[in-house]
């Protein structure tokens, strides 16, 4: 592989114009496709095999249109203090809102509007009422005029002194990341300038990463409606694509400068950089792709599509690093070269042959080698303490109750809770596959359960062979008491009575996430273990990498629970409402963080393996790996943390939580696990770290990530017996 990548990198360097033209053409083609495609929707949500999904399927069959995927809106109106919503004045204002929705702008997209005085949607104390509006399309597909008409529907009532707030998914909009993403990229740029000491060298990884993300995200946008991708898919692909794109380019450029510092010609340096660092990029990218594609084992279409879309962006980032980066290095000329003999990265101006001062990575590695037990215990105990809150993890899906208190959705949620009870925001829909007698007996049984506030009479379909019952729980939708009520209804019913609705779907979703976590971990860690065994020709190094990852991801989950569930330092991260952790957060974090954590493992330990293969003792090989890789790995980690942290400013709670979780996980994994625990373990293992049974060594193919075969090939080509000059170039480049 190293020899093939050497030829690829050198060829891209020499044919820079063609390579750059192809990537620019791809960017324009993807951009044109995105610009001409319809706006992405929120994506369909289904949980194959769950009871809630079976109930929805039954509704589609027996109650056509009832389970339609159109948006809903609830306009909640509260009378002024001392007045009732049934008084003539407030009632007239409410009916104006109903009339305006039916006949005003956007009425063409409304399928039904319920008058609260006709459907008994008035609270018992008479203070609050709500209007239910059903739309023909999803919230993301609503026209701007329709959405604005909904927002303006209560203006006159507000002017008359009524409190009018709007909830439901009709106001749904694409998540906004705010200025945080730009700040993250700015921090990445500063880190790159400090690392390279050159604006051109620093700008190159940013440029190539943006091109790669542009192609990936534009492709996702262009295919969003065709493949039914959710509106957050592009945001998550941007988050991951930017992080890995910058990092992969950073490693190639860094190795290129090292090769130049050793006196090689520019095209030769590009070939060797892609042949060595590029091999690590390929395998690091493979681990990320395995982790993301492995999300398919959960058997949730939404999560599977998110994983495949993000994996596609990672593949593009790898291809960009292997081809576009060397091409742009060729265009950059001497501007990307180290800053002469005074470069901070290459000796600080000391003459050749003089003893060089050990850099920070070397000094840190030597410190760890002297005190491996102390460093190992400090790292493990520290992460263990941070991981403690993860034992209290509660999972669920966010609703309007998780919105910031300043939003109209949250205020509508609170008004409904105050006027009708906390459970009114999460009604349960019970679907009965049977006649009126079965439906009536079901109603009687549910009325006798604790935790039930109200049960509506059954609504039968035209054929009289199915019924729908609405159950109002006593507690809020995300409460454990509501979850217990759902299970109680299900446990006391046969296969003919099914519980669904948004609350039941959330409960089933969380359960599916819990059930899939261990199989997913086994699949991803197992495949990556085999991949790392190929890379490092070792059993213990991949095992140590997997265990270190598990430690860092559990610690990151502990931090997420402390901030988003318990509210510790919540105001610092813009968390206005605490609650259960999003159900997909643990499994998504496992997938993404595992892939990214293996990046640092591959980049750092590959250099150690290279030194060990070339004859250095185990301890010295660790120091050598840190000498050449620690600075770049630290820079890469800071960049990735900055990019992820930029998404903490997003308006969408899910994106905010994922951004925080990934940033914290990368911090723990890069600075505690890879930079402290890894060298401590390798110091204690010594030669045993690189042990591989002989029979297994014969079975495993030699992928040669450290470039040993490439080095021998080049030495052979440069020997008196081997080809020289143009003949040598034609042989190596394949020209």
């Amino acid at each position: 592989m190293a020899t093939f990548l050497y030829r690829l990198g050198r060829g891209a360097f020499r044919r820079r114009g063609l390579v750059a033209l192809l990537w620019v053409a791809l960017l324009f083609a993807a951009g044109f496709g995105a610009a001409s495609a319809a706006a992405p929707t929120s994506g369909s949500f289904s949980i194959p095999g769950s009871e809630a999904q079976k109930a929805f399927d039954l509704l589609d069959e027996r109650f056509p249109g009832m389970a339609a995927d159109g948006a809903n809106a609830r306009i909640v109106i509260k009378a002024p203090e001392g007045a009732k919503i049934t008084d003539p004045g407030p009632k007239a204002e409410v009916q104006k809102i109903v009339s305006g929705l039916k006949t005003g702008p956007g009425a063409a997209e409304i399928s039904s509007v319920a008058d609260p005085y006709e459907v008994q949607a008035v609270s018992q104390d008479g203070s609050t009422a709500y209007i239910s509006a059903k739309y023909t399309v999803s919230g993301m597909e609503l026209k701007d005029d329709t959405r604005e008409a909904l927002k303006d529907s209560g203006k006159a009532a507000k002017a008359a002194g009524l409190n009018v707030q709007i909830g439901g998914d009709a106001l749904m909009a694409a998540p906004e990341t705010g200025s945080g993403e730009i700040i993250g990229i700015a921090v990445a740029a500063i880190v790159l300038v400090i690392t390279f000491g050159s604006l051109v060298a620093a700008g190159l990884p940013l440029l190539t990463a943006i091109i790669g993300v542009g192609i990936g995200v534009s492709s996702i946008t262009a295919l969003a409606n065709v493949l039914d991708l959710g509106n957050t898919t592009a945001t998550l692909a941007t988050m991951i694509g930017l992080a890995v794109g910058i990092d992969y380019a950073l490693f190639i450029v860094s190795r290129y400068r090292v090769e130049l510092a050793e006196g090689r010609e520019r095209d030769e340096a590009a070939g060797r950089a892609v042949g060595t660092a590029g091999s690590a990029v390929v395998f690091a990218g493979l681990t990320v792709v395995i982790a993301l594609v492995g999300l398919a084992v959960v058997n949730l279409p939404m999560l599977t599509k998110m994983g495949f879309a993000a994996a596609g962006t990672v593949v593009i980032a790898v291809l960009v690093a292997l081809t576009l980066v060397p091409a742009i290095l060729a265009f950059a000329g001497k501007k990307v070269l180290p800053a002469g003999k005074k470069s901070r990265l290459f000796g600080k101006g000391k003459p050749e042959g003089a003893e060089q001062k050990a850099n920070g990575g070397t000094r840190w590695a030597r410190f760890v080698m002297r005190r491996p037990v102390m460093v190992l215990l400090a790292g493990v105990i520290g992460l263990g303490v941070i991981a403690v809150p993860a034992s209290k993890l509660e999972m669920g899906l966010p609703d309007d109750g998780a919105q910031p208190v300043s939003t109209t959705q949250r205020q509508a949620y609170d008004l409904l809770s105050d006027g009708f009870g906390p459970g009114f925001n999460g009604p349960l829909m019970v679907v009965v596959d049977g006649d009126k007698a079965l439906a009536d007996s079901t109603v009687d049984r549910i009325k006798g359960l604790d935790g039930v506030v109200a049960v509506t009479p059954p609504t039968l379909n035209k054929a009289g062979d199915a019924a729908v019952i609405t159950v109002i729980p006593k507690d809020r939708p995300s409460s454990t008491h509501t979850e217990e009520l759902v299970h109680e209804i299900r446990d006391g019913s046969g296969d003919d009575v099914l519980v669904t609705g948004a609350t039941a779907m959330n409960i089933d979703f969380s359960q599916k996430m819990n059930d899939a976590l261990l199989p997913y971990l086994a699949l991803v860690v197992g495949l990556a273990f085999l991949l790392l065994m190929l890379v490092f020709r070792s059993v213990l190094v991949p095992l140590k990498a997997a265990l270190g990852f598990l430690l860092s991801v559990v610690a990151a989950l502990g931090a997420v629970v402390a901030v988003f569930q318990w509210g510790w330092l919540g105001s610092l991260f813009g968390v206005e409402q605490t609650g259960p952790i999003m159900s997909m957060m643990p499994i998504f974090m496992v997938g993404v963080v595992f892939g990214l954590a293996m990046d640092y493992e591959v980049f750092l330990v590959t250099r150690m393996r290279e030194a060990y293969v070339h004859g250095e003792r185990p301890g010295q090989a660790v120091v050598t790996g840190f000498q050449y890789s620690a600075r770049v790995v630290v820079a890469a980690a800071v960049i990735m943390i900055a990019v992820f942290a930029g998404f903490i400013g997003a308006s969408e709670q899910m994106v905010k939580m994922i951004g925080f979780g990934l940033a914290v996980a990368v911090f723990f994994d890069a600075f505690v696990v890879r930079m402290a625990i890894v060298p401590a373990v390798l110091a204690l293992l010594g030669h045993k770290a690189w042990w591989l049974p002989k029979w297994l060594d014969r079975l495993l193919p030699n992928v040669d990530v450290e470039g040993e075969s490439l080095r021998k090939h080049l030495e052979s080509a440069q020997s008196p017996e081997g080809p020289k000059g143009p003949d040598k170039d034609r042989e190596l480049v394949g020209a």
Side-chain angles (χ1 to χ4, degrees):
M1 174 178 285
T3 304
F4 168 76
L5 292 177
Y6 167 85
R7 292 172 176 167
L8 179 66
R10 198 174 182 192
F13 187 95
R14 291 184 167 186
R15 296 172 178 83
R16 52 189 175 274
L18 176 61
V19 172
L21 182 62
L22 287 174
W23 280 109
V24 171
L26 277 174
L27 179 61
F28 275 100
F32 176 78
S36 57
T41 66
S42 57
S44 61
F45 182 80
S46 63
I47 311 174
S50 68
E51 179 171 323
Q53 188 62 47
K54 292 176 184 176
F56 268 117
D57 295 340
L58 183 62
L59 280 175
D60 274 336
E61 179 185 342
R62 307 287 180 86
F63 293 86
M66 180 174 286
D69 205 19
N72 291 283
R74 273 182 172 177
I75 300 93
V76 188
I77 311 101
K78 185 173 183 179
E81 191 70 30
K84 292 185 179 293
I85 204 71
T86 51
D87 293 343
K91 185 174 182 178
E93 294 296 336
V94 171
Q95 290 179 327
K96 284 180 186 178
I97 298 175
V98 174
S99 176
L101 289 171
K102 289 181 176 179
T103 60
E109 289 188 295
I110 294 180
S111 60
S112 64
V113 179
D115 188 320
Y117 303 103
E118 295 177 1
V119 297
Q120 298 180 343
V122 178
S123 63
Q124 288 185 350
D125 63 3
S127 66
T128 310
Y130 68 89
I131 302 167
S132 294
K134 178 78 173 178
Y135 291 81
T136 58
V137 295
S138 69
M140 291 296 296
E141 296 172 298
L142 283 178
K143 295 178 181 177
D144 291 339
D145 291 345
T146 303
R147 191 177 285 109
E148 289 303 317
L150 175 61
K151 291 178 181 178
D152 295 340
S153 60
K155 275 190 173 181
K158 285 183 178 179
L162 280 71
N163 185 0
V164 182
Q165 304 297 336
I166 303 170
D169 57 1
L171 294 181
M172 181 183 294
E176 299 175 359
T177 58
S179 60
E181 184 180 350
I182 299 173
I183 294 173
I185 295 176
V187 171
I190 294 170
V191 173
L192 287 169
V193 170
I194 294 173
T195 302
F196 288 129
S198 163
L199 289 175
V200 174
L204 196 151
L206 284 174
L207 173 63
T208 55
I210 290 171
I211 290 174
V213 169
I215 294 171
V217 173
S218 296
S219 301
I220 290 170
T221 304
L223 298 172
N225 282 315
V226 177
L227 301 179
D228 192 27
L229 302 176
N231 56 289
T232 57
T233 301
T235 304
L236 297 174
T238 301
M239 184 189 303
I240 296 168
L242 267 179
V244 300
I246 294 173
D247 278 6
Y248 294 165
L250 167 63
F251 283 105
I252 298 289
V253 174
S254 176
R255 188 60 183 253
Y256 172 73
R257 285 161 57 97
V258 169
E259 297 294 337
L260 288 176
E262 294 179 357
R264 292 187 174 87
E265 295 297 326
R266 290 171 56 229
D267 62 338
E268 179 70 12
R272 287 177 180 257
V274 175
T276 51
S279 297
V281 165
V282 169
F283 280 94
L286 272 177
T287 59
V288 181
V289 170
I290 287 173
L292 292 171
V293 172
L295 291 170
V297 303
V298 183
N299 193 28
L300 282 174
M302 178 188 69
L303 195 59
T304 299
K305 291 171 186 176
M306 287 170 59
F308 272 87
T313 307
V314 173
V315 170
I316 292 172
V318 172
L319 295 175
V320 165
L322 299 179
T323 57
L324 184 59
V325 168
I328 295 185
L329 285 172
F331 281 117
K334 295 183 179 180
K335 294 178 182 178
V336 80
L337 295 175
K341 292 284 185 178
K342 294 184 179 180
S343 170
R344 295 184 62 193
L345 210 57
F346 301 100
K348 297 186 179 181
K350 292 188 178 182
E352 288 187 29
E355 182 180 352
Q356 305 292 341
K357 181 181 178 182
N359 61 20
T362 302
R363 294 194 298 272
W364 170 251
R366 288 173 178 168
F367 170 80
V368 176
M369 299 303 287
R370 289 194 301 270
R371 300 174 179 83
V373 175
M374 182 190 74
V375 172
L376 179 61
L377 289 176
V380 172
I381 293 173
L383 291 181
V385 170
I386 298 172
V388 169
S391 63
K392 302 296 183 182
L393 174 67
E394 296 177 8
M395 294 196 296
L397 287 178
D399 54 17
D400 283 347
Q403 297 271 10
V405 293
S406 59
T407 62
T408 185
Q409 294 96 322
R410 172 60 188 279
Q411 292 178 43
Y413 182 97
D414 291 341
L415 286 177
L416 283 174
S417 293
D418 294 340
F420 297 87
F424 199 82
N425 282 292
L428 305 177
M429 183 183 292
V430 179
V431 184
V432 180
D433 185 7
D435 57 15
K436 187 176 187 301
L438 178 59
D440 289 339
S441 64
T442 301
V443 169
D444 292 338
R445 189 180 65 81
I446 294 174
K447 283 182 177 179
L449 298 177
D450 291 335
V452 174
V453 171
V455 182
T456 65
T459 301
L460 273 73
N461 64 346
K462 290 182 179 179
D465 60 355
V468 175
I469 304 165
T470 300
V471 179
I472 306 299
K474 183 171 66 175
D475 298 290
R476 57 192 175 90
S478 58
S479 168
T480 55
H481 298 295
T482 302
E483 182 177 348
E484 291 169 0
L485 175 62
V486 170
H487 290 309
E488 196 171 356
I489 295 173
R490 288 174 171 175
D491 293 341
S493 307
D495 295 336
D496 296 332
V497 178
L498 306 171
V499 183
T500 188
T503 301
M505 288 285 278
N506 290 352
I507 292 170
D508 288 351
F509 183 84
S510 298
Q511 186 61 49
K512 198 169 184 69
M513 292 291 100
N514 279 332
D515 294 343
L517 185 57
L518 286 180
Y520 175 68
L521 263 177
L523 173 70
V524 172
V525 174
L527 288 176
F529 180 85
L530 293 175
L531 191 65
L532 293 177
M533 193 182 294
L534 286 176
V535 173
F536 298 127
R537 318 298 296 181
S538 166
V539 174
L540 296 179
V541 170
L543 180 62
K544 173 255 320 165
L547 293 177
F549 149 74
L550 291 174
L551 186 59
S552 61
V553 80
V554 174
L557 278 175
V560 170
V561 169
V563 173
F564 288 88
Q565 185 176 309
W566 294 355
W568 293 3
L569 302 177
S571 59
L572 184 64
F573 300 101
V575 180
E576 297 186 23
Q577 177 64 37
T578 60
I581 303 304
M582 185 184 59
S583 300
M584 71 170 65
M585 182 70 187
I587 203 163
F588 189 81
M589 181 183 287
V590 165
V592 176
V593 174
F594 184 80
L596 300 179
M598 294 306 103
D599 281 3
Y600 301 121
E601 182 74 14
V602 170
F603 289 126
L604 187 62
V605 182
T606 295
R607 204 62 192 261
M608 299 177 191
R609 169 74 182 173
E610 184 178 345
Y612 180 77
V613 168
H614 291 166
E616 292 187 6
R617 294 183 59 79
Q620 183 56 42
V622 172
V623 174
T624 300
F626 269 78
Q627 176 186 351
Y628 287 104
S629 300
R631 180 186 179 91
V632 180
V633 168
V634 168
V638 172
I639 289 169
M640 199 171 281
I641 291 168
V643 171
F644 288 149
F647 288 84
I648 296 175
S651 59
E652 182 75 28
Q653 180 84 346
M654 182 179 77
V655 177
K656 180 192 293 287
M657 191 180 295
I658 289 178
F660 173 83
L662 293 181
V664 170
V666 169
F667 175 81
F668 290 156
D669 197 88
F671 291 101
V672 181
V673 175
R674 308 303 153 190
M675 302 300 291
I677 295 177
V678 165
V681 171
L682 292 177
L684 294 172
L685 290 176
H687 287 285
K688 295 177 183 178
W690 310 107
W691 170 78
L692 186 69
K694 291 183 179 179
W695 63 270
L696 187 56
D697 189 36
R698 289 192 298 268
L699 287 177
L700 295 177
N702 186 9
V703 295
D704 187 35
V705 175
E706 65 272 3
E708 178 66 15
S709 62
L710 172 62
R711 184 178 65 84
K712 291 179 180 178
H713 184 71
L714 293 174
E715 288 176 355
S716 173
Q718 293 167 358
S719 67
E721 293 78 11
K724 297 180 180 179
D727 293 332
K728 175 192 72 176
D729 291 340
R730 278 194 293 271
E731 177 190 315
L732 295 178
V733 180

